[in-house]
Each structure stands twice: as structure tokens, then as C-alpha cells.
Amino acid sequence: MKNAKPPVVRLLGDDLASIKEAIGSHLLYTVGKEPINATARDWFMAAAHTVRDRVTEHWMPTLNRYYREDSKRVYYLSMEFLIGRTLVNSLINLGLYDTVRQAITDLGQDFDEVAAWEVEAALGNGGLGRLAACLLDSMATIGVPGFGYGIRYDYGMFTQHVDNGWQVESPENWLRYGNPWEFPRPGVIFPVRFGGRVIHFRDVLGHTRSQWVDAEEVMAMAFDVPVPGYGGKVVNNLRLWSAKSTREFDLKYFNAGNYIEAVRDKNESETLSKVLYPSDMTDRGKELRFKQEYFFVAASIQDILARFRKSHSDWALLPDKVAIQLNDTHPALVVAELMRVLVDEHQIEWNKAWDLVRGCCAYTNHTLLPEALETWSIDLFERVLPRHLEIVFALNHEFLQSVRYRHPGDSELLRRVSLIAEGHERRVRMGHLAVIGSHKVNGVAAIHTGLMKSTIFSDFEHLSPGKITNKTNGVTPRRWLLAANPTLSALITSKIGDGWITDLDKLHKLEPLADDPAFRKAFAAVKRANKERLAAMLSQRLGVEVEVESLFDVQVKRIHEYKRQLLNVLHVITRYGRIRSNPLLNPVPRTVIIGGKAAPGYHIAKLIIKLVNDVAEVINNDPLVGAKLKLIFVPNYNVSTAELVMPAADLSEQISTAGTEASGTGNMKMSMNGALTIGTWDGANVEICEEVGEENMFLFGLSAQDVARRRVDGYDAVAAVKADPDLTWALEMIGSGFFSPDQPDRFRPLVDILTTGGDHYLLSADFPLYMAAQERVDQTYRDPEEWTRKAILNVARMGKFSSDRTVAEYAREIWGAL
Ligand SMILES: *Cc1c(COP(=O)(O)O)cnc(C)c1O
């Protein structure tokens, strides 16, 4: 029976009449409305359920097939999944886009308006969470049995408003109207424990055993979200955990007659999945964050092992059947938790368990920035997870023993590689735990991986050569080209067919067309239409009018000092000064668009947002400037906004200090949509350059080695500013309060960082080179044919940056699952 292949039952029609009927039925029976009183949101819900039904038809057979074939499962553990909206993407992946669009139109509704009612799933901060979402799409598309595990936050990323130029955050209650894409699984629920203490005893065989007792318990309940691949045949699963209080926990109070206390406590245990931490780099020392990490790790491990045990009794098979990918160190507790479960609960011998753990786990590093490397204080660790701390100490002891054996007398080495950072407060280094617990460790771009090997993990590279490998990031061409840019997609398909959708290297066939004037004309018309689409949004949302003939110069990403939005603003101010001082100047008109969220506690990042808005206020209202220069801050940059912005960009700003941006993926999205990049020799820019050609980009600035050398030699920021009259002037304008007459010293902290503060991110060192690169941008843009030719070559040569390629590399070289 187990091996019998069940027939695939398809009950639901995909033709226009069936779809219309299904939407009408869902409107009535699921939403409880009739067309006469249905709102656009009601229509969205009806459409979403119609699509979900058709996704589900392929979902169950996919999961059954994995079970039947006993496939090796890949578990992608990530604290963040920045999914965005789902309707249009699912329709495209299922091949139902045109039919459903027609059906909605026939039913008297505007499809785009209906689709716009979907609240996006913003369960992530930025690049890391968006990568997880792209990899899920690609796993389903290329047929990897991939399962995402994460947290179903009640409140995802905050909504950003701009009030008088300042960022104001408001919570996004994205589940308010219900999430049509998820299936609650009240039956899939696991206990997760915190606190308590450890007892040690000898079992009947005389072995020392440990048991974690007296812990508090919270329940993790599963919500499943189907993930359809392109073509719709494979539908994988994303399982998100939501915290629920335990029943026993309640009873304790109910029995004591304290009803109110019981309910209050119930709420407290449910805060675990309440909110996403809105910082993409630093949330050090926050107990709730630590508990969130363990919460989803513990639930996922129980689920993974339960699934394994359904088909296997031999634990030795675990690494053959289970791959666990850790997206950054946030799920690194997997290493200790798996050890605990195998050793304490299943009585597997310690060394055997350790082999199993390392056989399953692999770890992706996302940053080299010291402030972003996760550590947890021993005090907190012990209070929340006492048994895990013991395990970490034991692993550390054995690991250091083995290092000492190979490098006798090198106590400095032991100090450096220890899982425990010794200092005035001892802390667990989660990166080191992830490295020793994994069989492979990867960086996300070639330069990043190289720097991992030569800096933060250089000792590990010597101890285990070959463990650290590179897996350059990618983005899914379904969302970021096919769905986001339908006009360009149609143009491409009309020339080379639609094979590029699942084999992005096929875009190479466009190369000869870069020299075809008719194709260039069509390509330029597409870009212009996309700019008009964005201009209409800016007009509607912000009430600003922009000139679509102008060069759209775009920097959209989280606001961070290392990403150097400030360098961008310094260029804008310099440009403004030149226009002001020379009214006869006829510059290339530019619309500089900046968007991104700042972590709520990151005051300098928020001050940068205010600066952008204050500078915009002055420039945009200066009659001497007019359409020659506009500066726009786009509020609430999220996936939906990105889908509108990427296709409209002429110039992609990727100007991080070399050695700081691990990869970047915004750079890929814009280049894939025909923007030229102005950027540093950092992250994936380097590889984009290898593919696209340096002559089709504007790369500038210090190399990562230059940056490191200057910092070692001691960088004189004040002298660097003094040496550049443009930079001196721009900083004077900011520092003197020209842009903030109501509070002249408002931006003093920014000026100080770049001068007396030592300019850690070396803006002043790169400024003259950046200005020169901007000059080259202008010169190229003055020749529209040449610009378009380069833009076409960017699109044609971006095949490498499909996340399908990324996933295939992980599957072959890390997961053993293709
Ligand atoms: C792609 C993307 C990012 C990552 O952008 P980078 O420029 O690589 O930092 C962040 N946020 C959103 C909404 C994205 O779509």
C-alpha cells in the first residue's frame, strides 16, 4: 500500500468559466458576500481562495511523492521570510494569470485594484529574508524537496511613515483580515521549554545521563503556506510556527481560582511570536529574541525528526535523509538542540550524535560586520537554556582539545576559536557554534567568502580547509522580472521565446539585439513606460511630479551607514551647488530616488532619512533648479514597492564601503531590469561586473584591501575632507544648517562622523572617485543609444544571478539533494 502510486485527482477546472464560477462561489461561501455588496478586498479574498485551491491540488501530491520516494528533505531554517504579495506570483507560477485576470474583469472588477488589496507578508527585514523567499521559489521550481521553517509573526516589518521628514514606525497588523494563503494546523503542535534546571544521574547501564527538568512550556503551532514552483507541478511547504500557551499551564491558575492571572499568563507565553525584531543587524542581548530563536528551532527539530522517524528507525540514516540549512546564526541553536535530543532523549552515544549533527547541518554567513556577529551572554543562556549551555561547554571542551592536540602551545589560537568569548562578560559565539556544527559553511558572494576565509573565520579555514565555500546569491526571475516587469518580459519572450523563465542563461540570446536599433527603440520604450508607472505612483502617493525624461537614479535598501546613503546625498548636494552657481549649466536631468527603513533604535540612520527629506525640500522647491534635479524619498520601501521601483531604474546605486556588503540582491534585481550600476568593488557587484563587463557599469572606489589598509594605517578623515573642495562645501552646507534652518545643528552628528569621528566607512576617501563615476554616468546618458545598448547587455548577461542557479549549487554541493 505504501508504495502504491495514488492517482492525481484533478477536480478543479482551469478554464475561464470554471474560474469565474469558483471566484463567485468563494465570494459567497468563503467570504460571505454577494457581488452587489462585495468590496475590492472581498474580491481579492475570493480570488485568493480560488488560486489557493488550485495550488493545493498539486501540494498534497508533491508531499506524498516525497514520502513515497523517501526523498532527502532540505530544511531551510530562517528567522525571516520576506515574501511580499502572493496572488500574482502564484497565478504566474500556475499559468493562470491571464485567465484569472480575465475572470475578474468579466466579473466587473479591476484586476490590478483587486490585487493591490493584498497585504504583503513582510516577515523579514531586508536582503536576508528576501533571499529565503527567493530560494523557496527556486527550490519548488527546480524540484528540490525544500521545506521552509520560520516564525509566523503577528506583526511583521513595521510600516514606515514620514512625518515632517522623520521616520515614524507603525505596527502592521497584517493578519487582521485573515491570511488566505495559510493553513492552520492545530494538530501539529509541539512543546517548547525554557528555564528550569538540569539533573545528572546514572542509568541502569551505568551511563551518565542528563535531564532538563522544571522548565516552563510554550506550545508551537504550525501554519503551513504552500509554495508553488513555476509550472505549478511541484508545490513545497513553508511551515511557520505560532506560539500558544499550554493547557496545563493555564490549569495551574484555574485550579487556584485565578482566572484573570491564567489569561494574562497565556498572553505572555504567546508574545513569543508576536513581533519581528526590526533590526537587520543588531539585536544583542534581547531575551525575547533569544527565546524566539530557540522557539522555532525546537519546534522545527521536533517536526523534522518526527517526519524522519515515520520512515526510518536507524538514526545513522539521518544525514542521508535530512539537510538543515541555517540562514545566518539565528537558528544556530539547532546544533545544541539536535545534540540534546539525540543524546538525552534518544540515548545516542555523544560522538555518534555529533557526527549526525554535522552530517545534517550547514550554515550560511551573511555578514562580516563585528557588531552583527551574534553572541549571547552566558548568564542569559544559562537562565533560558541551561542544558544547552552545558552542551555548548562540552562541545567547546572537545573542540579545543582537538585544536590543542594539533597545535600544542598555541593558546592564542584556542582563545580565538573558542565558542566562548572571554571578557568582562563571557558570551557564546553563535558563529563559531554554527561553524563547528556544520559540514559546510558558505558565504553569499565570492568576495565575501574570500573575506570570511581571511578574516572572521581564518582559523577555521586552516583547521578545516574546504569547509567554507561560496554560494553567490541570486533572485527569482519569476517575481523580479516576469511578474514585476511584464512589458520587458513580453519583449524578451517575443524575441527569444520563454525558455529564459526557468533557464535565465538563455537571456544571452538577447546580446546581438543590443546592436539592433529597432530592438533598442522597443527596449527604451519599455523602460519609459515603467518610469511612467513609477511616476504615477509617486504623484499619487507623495503628490510629487517627476520628469520621466530625467535619469532615474535609485538607491533602495535598508538605511545603514555601511550602505552609504549619505555618500549619495553628498553627490546630490554637490550637484545642486553646481546648478545653483552656474545657471547656464545644462546638466543631465536627474531624479534621485532613495527609499528604505531604518531600525527604530538606529538614530543615525533615522537622521539620514531626515537629511534626505530636508535636502529634498530645499532642492525640489528651488526654481533655479526645476527639473534639472529632484530628490525623492519613497516611504515604506517593501517588496511591493520594490516591484514597482526596480523596472523603472536607470541607475542602480550600490555604493557600500568595499568589504561590507556581503552580496546585495537589490543590485541583481535592478541590473536584470535594465539599470546600469554605479557601485563599489563589493559583494556581488564584483561578479555582476565579471558577467556584464566593466564597460557596461560604473565601478569606482577603494578595494576591500585598500579599505583594510587605510584603517590599519590610521585614516585622516579631516585631511581627506579638506583636500576636496566639493566635499568641504557640501559638509559645510549640511553642518551650517542650510537644509535645516529651523534647527541649524540638526545634522551636526552626521558631519562629525565624517570628520572628527574618523569616517569609519571612508566616505571621504571614495567621494572624489564617486563624483568622477557620476560624471561618466552623465556622459553616457547623453548618448541614449549607447545607454540603451549597455542596459540591454546588462539584462542579457544576468543569467548567473537567478536563484535557480544558487539553489542548484546548494543542492549539489551542500545538500546532496539533486
Ligand atoms: C531585494 C530587497 C532587499 C535587499 O536589497 P539590498 O540592496 O541587497 O540591500 C531589501 N528589501 C527589499 C524589500 C528587497 O526587495
Side-chain angles (χ1 to χ4, degrees):
M1 191 59 211
K2 194 176 149 194
N3 289 316
K5 190 170 178 160
V8 177
V9 185
R10 301 293 321 277
L11 298 171
L12 304 174
D14 284 353
D15 56 290
L16 182 60
S18 306
I19 295 283
K20 269 158 68 175
E21 194 187 311
I23 295 174
S25 288
H26 274 300
L27 189 67
L28 183 61
Y29 299 119
T30 307
V31 183
K33 291 277 191 90
E34 287 192 321
I36 187 93
N37 61 359
T39 64
R41 184 189 291 114
D42 296 330
W43 284 106
F44 161 73
M45 281 294 179
H49 279 280
T50 302
V51 176
R52 189 180 84 161
D53 291 344
R54 282 149 182 83
V55 173
T56 307
E57 274 198 326
H58 293 288
W59 187 27
M60 297 301 132
T62 301
L63 302 184
N64 289 335
R65 177 167 59 80
Y66 294 155
Y67 180 66
R68 220 170 43 243
E69 296 175 356
D70 191 23
S71 315
K72 181 168 187 178
R73 267 57 154 221
V74 173
Y75 297 109
Y76 196 82
L77 269 64
S78 180
M79 282 287 272
E80 305 190 6
F81 287 91
L82 184 46
I83 296 166
R85 289 180 179 148
T86 290
L87 179 65
V88 168
N89 254 263
S90 294
L91 287 174
I92 285 177
N93 282 6
L94 263 58
L96 287 176
Y97 182 80
D98 292 334
T99 313
V100 169
R101 193 180 176 97
Q102 188 62 50
I104 299 267
T105 310
D106 289 356
L107 290 162
Q109 304 301 309
D110 181 305
F111 177 83
D112 295 320
E113 216 172 274
V114 166
W117 277 98
E118 178 169 6
V119 185
E120 71 168 62
L123 307 182
N125 272 286
L128 176 148
R130 186 52 234 175
L131 177 74
C134 282
L135 296 187
L136 287 187
D137 180 272
S138 285
M139 285 196 278
T141 296
I142 74 173
V144 171
F147 292 66
Y149 277 110
I151 297 177
R152 180 181 177 272
Y153 301 104
D154 295 342
Y155 294 89
M157 194 57 203
F158 63 80
T159 300
Q160 177 195 57
H161 304 275
V162 175
D163 182 2
N164 187 31
W166 295 99
Q167 165 174 301
V168 178
E169 306 91 24
S170 72
E172 171 66 276
N173 186 0
W174 72 294
L175 296 167
R176 184 172 39 221
Y177 299 102
N179 174 7
W181 307 111
E182 70 184 10
F183 288 79
R185 305 288 191 202
V188 183
I189 186 156
F190 294 104
V192 177
R193 296 183 293 164
F194 296 102
R197 63 200 171 84
V198 185
I199 53 173
H200 302 278
F201 59 95
R202 274 187 199 284
D203 65 13
V204 287
L205 298 174
H207 297 132
T208 305
R209 301 246 157 248
S210 305
Q211 204 182 346
W212 181 17
V213 297
D214 293 345
E216 274 178 42
E217 229 172 56
V218 176
M219 302 304 285
M221 178 184 146
F223 285 74
D224 286 343
V225 183
V227 180
Y230 186 76
K233 293 292 171 279
V234 173
V235 180
N236 284 338
N237 195 24
L238 167 60
R239 180 158 280 183
L240 300 175
W241 301 107
S242 180
K244 296 268 172 277
S245 67
T246 55
R247 230 179 308 162
E248 305 89 85
F249 197 60
D250 295 347
L251 281 178
K252 169 175 85 190
Y253 291 103
F254 284 124
N255 292 343
N258 199 340
Y259 172 76
I260 297 293
E261 267 307 289
V263 175
R264 195 181 61 84
D265 256 65
K266 179 171 150 64
N267 276 331
E268 256 166 39
S269 54
E270 291 178 0
T271 56
L272 271 181
S273 56
K274 193 58 77 185
V275 62
L276 165 76
Y277 274 91
S279 161
D280 58 340
M281 290 288 170
T282 49
D283 275 300
R284 302 185 68 164
K286 302 287 197 313
E287 178 164 338
L288 179 62
R289 167 77 178 196
F290 185 60
K291 286 183 162 177
Q292 284 184 336
E293 295 185 352
Y294 180 63
F295 168 74
F296 103 102
V297 160
S300 304
I301 290 294
Q302 290 178 77
D303 199 35
I304 290 167
L305 294 184
R307 190 171 298 114
F308 172 76
R309 296 284 273 177
K310 253 199 320 204
S311 315
H312 304 279
S313 52
D314 183 1
W315 284 105
L317 288 175
L318 196 67
D320 299 331
K321 294 298 167 188
V322 170
I324 299 175
Q325 190 66 37
L326 310 176
N327 195 25
D328 212 311
T329 55
H330 316 144
L333 284 166
V334 159
V335 174
E337 172 68 358
L338 241 189
M339 280 302 280
R340 187 190 68 78
V341 173
L342 295 176
V343 172
D344 293 358
E345 295 184 2
H346 296 284
Q347 285 81 48
I348 294 174
E349 194 258 316
W350 178 274
N351 290 319
K352 277 200 187 116
W354 187 230
D355 287 342
L356 297 179
V357 169
R358 283 180 303 166
C360 293
C361 293
Y363 152 56
T364 304
N365 171 275
H366 284 271
T367 181
L368 307 171
L369 298 185
E371 69 269 29
L373 298 175
E374 251 192 326
T375 61
W376 292 106
S377 84
I378 300 266
D379 284 351
L380 171 64
F381 215 116
E382 181 162 39
R383 189 154 30 83
V384 178
L385 300 174
R387 176 59 183 145
H388 296 78
L389 185 62
E390 284 186 355
I391 291 171
V392 167
F393 280 146
L395 292 173
N396 196 38
H397 178 77
E398 287 174 5
F399 171 61
L400 294 183
Q401 199 83 298
S402 74
V403 175
R404 198 178 288 118
Y405 180 77
R406 288 173 55 188
H407 300 270
D410 194 345
S411 59
E412 265 305 294
L413 175 65
L414 297 182
R415 188 189 56 75
R416 290 198 306 269
V417 298
S418 174
L419 301 188
I420 311 296
E422 309 284 342
H424 66 279
E425 181 192 47
R426 298 168 78 212
R427 304 180 71 89
V428 180
R429 293 164 165 156
M430 302 306 277
H432 292 196
L433 178 63
V435 170
I436 71 161
S438 296
H439 64 285
K440 281 282 190 298
V441 174
N442 76 283
V444 289
I447 181 179
H448 165 63
T449 302
L451 289 166
M452 273 169 70
K453 291 189 200 179
S454 64
T455 63
I456 56 169
F457 295 145
S458 61
D459 292 318
F460 294 97
E461 171 64 8
H462 290 128
L463 292 169
S464 317
K467 187 191 261 198
I468 302 176
T469 68
N470 179 243
K471 297 287 166 281
T472 299
N473 282 168
V475 299
T476 168
R478 271 74 61 184
R479 182 176 292 265
W480 294 110
L481 186 47
L482 185 57
N485 200 340
T487 43
L488 181 57
S489 298
L491 177 64
I492 293 169
T493 297
S494 75
K495 293 295 177 187
I496 66 169
D498 65 2
W500 60 271
I501 297 168
T502 50
D503 180 4
L504 204 63
D505 282 324
K506 290 217 163 80
L507 289 178
H508 271 300
K509 293 189 202 164
L510 292 172
E511 274 192 37
L513 293 165
D515 294 319
D516 173 351
F519 185 76
R520 283 205 299 266
K521 192 167 170 217
F523 187 96
V526 162
K527 179 60 78 178
R528 197 195 151 89
N530 287 326
K531 288 167 76 173
E532 275 164 1
R533 192 169 65 144
L534 177 60
M537 181 277 261
L538 295 174
S539 167
Q540 189 214 326
R541 261 174 54 182
L542 307 178
V544 297
E545 302 305 322
V546 300
E547 177 53 67
V548 292
E549 296 290 338
S550 67
L551 186 162
F552 279 21
D553 171 344
V554 178
Q555 187 176 26
V556 282
K557 48 183 76 249
R558 287 300 289 255
I559 310 293
H560 234 289
E561 285 165 276
Y562 85 82
K563 291 176 182 277
R564 302 199 295 192
Q565 281 90 359
L566 200 46
L567 183 59
N568 188 347
V569 176
L570 289 168
H571 164 247
V572 172
I573 292 171
T574 306
R575 216 172 164 88
Y576 173 62
R578 289 185 185 164
I579 293 169
R580 287 275 318 191
S581 61
N582 185 358
L584 297 178
L585 198 69
N586 192 19
V588 170
R590 284 218 198 191
T591 301
V592 178
I593 294 165
I594 297 177
K597 292 173 185 175
Y602 190 173
H603 298 293
I604 291 298
K606 292 175 120 174
L607 193 56
I608 292 170
I609 291 175
K610 174 63 171 163
L611 176 68
V612 172
N613 284 303
D614 280 2
V615 171
E617 184 70 19
V618 170
I619 294 181
N620 298 349
N621 293 303
D622 189 331
L624 276 178
V625 174
K628 290 175 187 167
L629 183 60
K630 285 271 179 283
L631 175 59
I632 315 283
F633 184 82
V634 188
N636 201 38
Y637 178 61
N638 58 10
V639 174
S640 309
T641 310
E643 287 166 4
L644 209 57
V645 169
M646 300 300 175
D650 291 309
L651 186 67
S652 162
E653 298 265 359
Q654 309 297 338
I655 57 178
S656 52
T657 311
T660 62
E661 187 74 272
S663 164
T665 50
N667 46 4
M668 300 169 188
K669 297 168 196 165
M670 276 193 263
S671 185
M672 204 175 273
N673 281 279
L676 307 198
T677 301
I678 183 166
T680 46
W681 296 96
D682 200 16
N685 296 354
V686 177
E687 287 156 84
I688 294 174
C689 179
E690 281 169 16
E691 298 295 309
V692 161
E694 198 174 346
E695 69 283 7
N696 298 310
M697 301 172 75
F698 307 96
L699 292 186
F700 69 92
L702 302 182
S703 68
Q705 287 92 326
D706 294 335
V707 169
R709 204 171 309 125
R710 298 226 181 179
R711 284 184 183 158
V712 169
D713 292 351
Y715 180 68
D716 189 344
V718 174
V721 171
K722 210 174 266 174
D724 191 297
D726 286 328
L727 181 56
T728 302
W729 181 80
L731 286 179
E732 254 170 41
M733 292 285 278
I734 296 171
S736 67
F738 181 83
F739 300 107
S740 53
D742 54 324
Q743 189 192 347
D745 62 354
R746 174 176 300 144
F747 300 115
R748 201 70 242 170
L750 298 181
V751 175
D752 289 346
I753 285 172
L754 297 191
T755 52
T756 52
D759 188 11
H760 183 67
Y761 292 105
L762 298 169
L763 281 73
S764 47
D766 273 340
F767 180 83
L769 304 158
Y770 181 50
M771 293 301 297
Q774 290 287 14
E775 191 62 45
R776 288 188 277 137
V777 170
D778 286 337
Q779 278 163 17
T780 308
Y781 199 76
R782 283 183 196 282
D783 182 349
E785 293 293 326
E786 183 60 8
W787 183 277
T788 301
R789 203 180 67 79
K790 291 178 189 298
I792 293 167
L793 289 177
N794 267 264
V795 177
R797 296 174 178 175
M798 283 301 286
K800 171 173 173 181
F801 302 98
S802 165
S803 46
D804 299 346
R805 186 269 314 150
T806 309
V807 160
E809 286 183 7
Y810 276 97
R812 276 196 298 268
E813 297 162 29
I814 298 182
W815 303 330
L818 250 194

